[in-house]
Amino acid sequence: MSFKEKIDLKRLPLHIAVIMDGNGRWAKQRGKLRVFGHESGVIAVRETAEACAEIGVKFLTLYAFSTENWNRPKKEVDALMSLLVKSLNKETKTLMDNDIRLRAIGDLSQLDPQCRQQLQETIEVTSGNRRMDLNLALSYSARWEITEATRKIAELVKAGELLPENINQELFSSMLTTKNIPDPELLIRTSGENRISNFLLWQIAYSELYFTPVLWPDFRREHLYEAIYEFQHRERRFGKISEQINPRIK
Ligand code: IPE
Ligand code: IPE
Ligand code: MG
């Protein structure tokens, strides 16, 4: 039986986040340039987005480019940016066919104008879509986001519009780029690396972490279903004990 048949569609995570990693190693294994790995990763993005939308996941956040990735060789950064523009353009049809709304989180001011324009265009064209939100994390890092949120809060306090005693977790969340999006219940990282690499640090406080050795360009629907299946077999206790979560267990 495939994992797709084994997952319980009534208990899906509302929000899945993915650290798409391993493109470079995938290309290297084939004696190709790293950029070939990035290009091949687009298929995995399409498969994952379509599969999530089809089964009923409401939010998918993909880590596509981190703040730290700006430090890669310029040739690779340029190739990634032009791939982004090309893919957004080409995959707009996929987004429309699947009723997916595109959004972006991150320090978008760092992107070059052509990139920003294409991003804006795809966001606008898909803005009426309702089946799923696809959030692309671009030039994103959690520490950048948390620092920005802190600055916004400090400015409100300085302007006399917010009292320090009214700062709480809800308010802080509303200052993040993910405001109005529920925290991800499931975070997947491909390529066998067991780290978070500055992704959604605030939001993943209680996410289930799922690490797979599969390299991103090889990631397919069935790998996603497997991750969801494993997620559904974990006990999320949120600090409580088993008996409180499932009173039938003695
Ligand atoms: C993920 O693959 C894509 C980006 C970070 C942009 P990598 O490029 O990090 O691939 P590896 O980890 O070097 O194999
Ligand atoms: C994390 O992958 C960022 C993205 C997937 C966009 P990296 O490959 O950049 O992370 P590290 O450097 O291995 O931690
Ligand atoms: Mg990597």
Side-chain angles (χ1 to χ4, degrees):
M1 201 158 74
S2 73
F3 282 105
K4 186 176 186 186
E5 293 153 38
K6 288 204 264 184
I7 59 181
D8 179 354
L9 294 177
K10 291 189 292 296
R11 290 191 306 117
L12 286 175
L14 197 57
H15 182 183
I16 298 179
V18 186
I19 302 174
M20 310 184 287
D21 196 18
N23 298 351
R25 278 163 283 166
W26 186 91
K28 209 169 167 192
Q29 281 173 6
R30 287 159 179 77
K32 299 273 175 57
L33 296 173
R34 293 178 58 85
V35 60
F36 179 63
H38 298 314
E39 285 163 1
S40 305
V42 177
I43 303 163
V45 173
R46 193 187 307 132
E47 284 258 326
T48 305
E50 282 186 342
C52 282
E54 278 165 22
I55 61 175
V57 172
K58 289 293 166 199
F59 303 90
L60 173 67
T61 300
L62 300 177
Y63 203 7
F65 193 86
S66 73
T67 309
E68 289 77 17
N69 288 149
W70 289 115
N71 298 321
R72 291 193 178 191
K74 185 173 182 306
K75 233 175 90 185
E76 179 164 347
V77 171
D78 289 349
L80 276 165
M81 291 302 142
S82 55
L83 178 65
L84 177 68
V85 175
K86 203 176 95 186
S87 306
L88 283 171
N89 190 298
K90 197 167 155 249
E91 300 298 333
T92 301
K93 187 179 179 313
T94 310
L95 298 173
M96 296 312 289
D97 290 349
N98 289 279
D99 198 13
I100 299 172
R101 173 166 63 176
L102 185 76
R103 297 204 153 163
I105 58 170
D107 187 2
L108 305 179
S109 68
Q110 297 302 309
L111 300 175
D112 68 49
Q114 198 203 359
C115 223
R116 263 206 313 271
Q117 200 195 328
Q118 177 63 58
L119 190 62
Q120 209 46 51
E121 204 178 301
T122 312
I123 288 173
E124 266 167 42
V125 171
T126 62
S127 63
N129 294 347
R130 286 293 176 269
R131 188 148 70 142
M132 187 182 81
D133 274 5
L134 170 59
N135 290 311
L136 271 191
L138 287 168
S139 188
Y140 173 90
S141 80
R143 286 185 174 181
W144 163 80
E145 173 180 52
I146 290 169
T147 309
E148 285 304 304
T150 309
R151 194 192 324 280
K152 278 185 227 160
I153 291 171
E155 276 162 8
L156 288 174
V157 172
K158 190 178 165 197
E161 289 167 32
L162 177 67
L163 293 170
E165 53 267 39
N166 290 339
I167 299 171
N168 54 30
Q169 294 186 18
E170 223 170 25
L171 178 109
F172 198 87
S173 293
S174 76
M175 297 291 164
L176 297 171
T177 61
T178 50
K179 60 174 179 291
N180 303 327
I181 303 175
D183 290 341
E185 294 98 326
L186 172 62
L187 171 68
I188 299 171
R189 183 175 188 145
T190 58
S191 91
E193 304 294 359
N194 298 329
R195 58 176 171 265
I196 302 300
S197 302
N198 218 349
F199 192 39
L200 302 176
L201 294 179
W202 171 277
Q203 298 87 338
I204 60 166
Y206 259 110
S207 303
E208 292 299 324
L209 308 183
Y210 178 85
F211 298 102
T212 168
V214 174
L215 300 175
W216 180 250
D218 287 330
F219 196 82
R220 291 293 176 272
R221 286 170 145 78
E222 194 61 9
H223 297 117
L224 173 84
Y225 303 141
E226 185 174 359
I228 296 174
Y229 177 80
E230 156 130 10
F231 164 82
Q232 292 184 333
H233 286 80
R234 295 195 190 170
E235 184 179 64
R236 305 186 73 207
R237 289 189 289 277
F238 301 99
K240 296 182 181 174
I241 63 169
S242 264
E243 286 77 354
Q244 290 173 292
I245 306 299
N246 187 351
R248 273 168 297 179
I249 295 175
K250 284 258 156 52

